[in-house]
Amino acid sequence: MSRFLPSEFGMDPARMGDAMEPGRVSFDEKMTVRKAIKDAGIPHTYVSANCFADYFVGSLCQMQWLVPPRD
């Protein structure tokens, strides 16, 4: 039996119900795709990478910087 492994990078959209715009749009779109997969009865497994923490922790999630802020 085969399983579908969707390429979903980032946070788990099922846990992001309180997200604000503009991120909300991305999570809603991912949930639409997840619903379609479930409704089609396709065997699947989701792997949540949680935004590649090693990349974002250094800048404390401030996207314009690659190192921690100094002020």
Side-chain angles (χ1 to χ4, degrees):
M1 179 191 230
S2 297
R3 290 194 74 76
F4 176 54
L5 290 159
S7 296
E8 266 191 12
F9 297 102
M11 302 298 244
D12 182 359
R15 295 176 170 244
M16 300 306 294
D18 295 325
M20 297 172 57
E21 298 292 340
R24 172 87 258 145
V25 173
S26 178
F27 297 131
D28 289 344
E29 290 170 350
K30 287 182 178 186
M31 289 307 295
T32 300
V33 173
R34 283 187 174 195
K35 183 178 181 326
I37 292 168
K38 182 179 179 182
D39 291 348
I42 300 170
H44 60 280
T45 299
Y46 295 109
V47 177
S48 179
N50 292 319
C51 283
F52 304 112
D54 62 331
Y55 181 80
F56 292 110
V57 168
S59 63
L60 302 175
C61 294
Q62 297 181 42
M63 304 306 280
Q64 69 269 26
W65 309 108
L66 295 177
V67 296
R70 295 187 180 159
D71 53 353

